[in-house]
Amino acid sequence: AQKITQTQPGMFVQEKEAVTLDCTYDTSDPSYGLFWYKQPSSGEMIFLIYQGSYDQQNATEGRYSLNFQKARKSANLVISASQLGDSAMYFCAMRFDNTDKLIFGTGTRLQVFP
Amino acid sequence: DVKVTQSSRYLVKRTGEKVFLECVQDMDHENMFWYRQDPGLGLRLIYFSYDVKMKEKGDIPEGYSVSREKKERFSLILESASTNQTSMYLCASSLRGVVYGYTFGSGTRLTVV
């Protein structure tokens, strides 16, 4: 079965510190894409970062990086130098070569405090 | 600026009403999707469409139908709204292919009373 698991319902981090949001997945398909989205309280889903299953290097986008450990089937999001504006829900998602559907985890609520 | 537009941000409807949620994208994307989002359950796929007039059921299609008469527009229909359909509804579109993520609309928060 194809599944995404985010085990942290909520996380707290102090401003300027780094934080890691966990994501594990389950699939037997060799080709897939992993995505992270941010959802502020306003509700829109904002794309953050993408990692392909065949990519050799971890993806980075500014302060966001993806710690991809294929053998462990994990794709953790690392946010460096947290900002107050990073407070939001974060969703991990996975997409497969044989389907156009994106499967989402249940999300992690991150709160950044001063 | 490319985008996905959902017609209503907030909607309140009565039980038994027929409800239409509209979604329009301007990116010429083949795929369009409707999700509902509930606390603790994440996003669950209701229906998706990979071409005009084509549709496929997602994980929770019961109580919903969809229409895609034009490439840019994908409508979600609640035939007879019920209180358990109170939720946040998110529309998204994408190109085909595993490397492409989705572009989402800003969501419609539907309350059925």
Side-chain angles (χ1 to χ4, degrees):
Chain A
Q2 296 163 336
K3 189 179 178 183
I4 289 272
T5 302
Q6 294 180 256
T7 57
Q8 306 154 314
M11 290 282 286
F12 287 89
V13 66
Q14 191 165 29
E15 200 177 6
K16 299 180 185 178
E17 296 294 311
V19 62
T20 298
L21 306 184
D22 294 342
C23 173
T24 59
Y25 58 93
D26 188 16
T27 182
S28 56
D29 287 356
S31 178
Y32 50 88
L34 293 156
F35 300 82
W36 277 92
Y37 284 85
K38 172 185 177 181
Q39 187 182 40
S41 56
S42 54
E44 76 272 26
M45 296 283 282
I46 302 166
F47 165 75
L48 295 178
I49 196 166
Y50 162 80
Q51 178 85 43
S53 60
Y54 294 117
D55 293 344
Q56 296 297 311
Q57 291 188 321
N58 288 341
T60 60
E61 290 284 351
R63 294 187 298 111
Y64 304 108
S65 61
L66 202 153
N67 184 0
F68 182 46
Q69 298 188 41
K70 193 170 182 177
R72 293 187 177 184
K73 294 187 177 178
S74 75
N76 299 338
L77 177 70
V78 180
I79 305 174
S80 63
S82 298
Q83 302 171 356
L84 296 177
D86 293 335
S87 294
M89 282 288 288
Y90 288 81
F91 290 95
C92 181
M94 184 166 56
R95 191 171 189 182
F96 303 92
D97 223 357
N98 61 355
T99 176
D100 283 323
K101 294 186 286 187
L102 204 55
I103 299 172
F104 286 85
T106 52
T108 296
R109 182 170 296 281
L110 176 66
Q111 295 189 56
V112 182
F113 60 94
Chain B
D1 192 18
V2 294
K3 60 181 178 180
V4 176
T5 304
Q6 293 184 232
S7 54
S8 303
R9 192 78 174 92
Y10 298 94
L11 214 51
V12 180
K13 295 292 181 180
R14 294 193 180 279
T15 301
E17 275 193 78
K18 191 169 186 176
V19 181
F20 293 86
L21 301 183
E22 305 288 345
C23 177
V24 177
Q25 52 98 0
D26 63 1
M27 296 164 284
D28 202 33
H29 284 173
E30 298 96 345
N31 298 331
M32 296 189 75
F33 308 84
W34 276 106
Y35 286 85
R36 67 175 281 176
Q37 181 180 8
D38 301 288
L41 298 178
L43 279 75
R44 294 178 293 166
L45 182 64
I46 306 171
Y47 267 98
F48 68 102
S49 168
Y50 51 88
D51 205 345
V52 176
K53 296 190 186 295
M54 307 300 285
K55 61 185 179 184
E56 284 199 24
K57 294 180 181 178
D59 301 316
I60 51 164
E62 296 78 18
Y64 303 95
S65 62
V66 290
S67 172
R68 194 171 181 196
E69 296 296 319
K70 294 184 178 181
K71 190 175 185 178
E72 66 271 19
R73 186 180 297 270
F74 192 35
S75 303
L76 180 69
I77 303 156
L78 287 65
E79 297 289 343
S80 178
S82 64
T83 55
N84 62 14
Q85 292 177 311
T86 291
S87 186
M88 169 72 100
Y89 290 87
L90 289 163
C91 176
S93 72
S94 79
L95 293 168
R96 290 186 188 141
V98 71
V99 301
Y100 297 107
Y102 290 8
T103 302
F104 283 86
S106 53
T108 295
R109 190 167 293 281
L110 173 68
T111 302
V112 182
V113 298

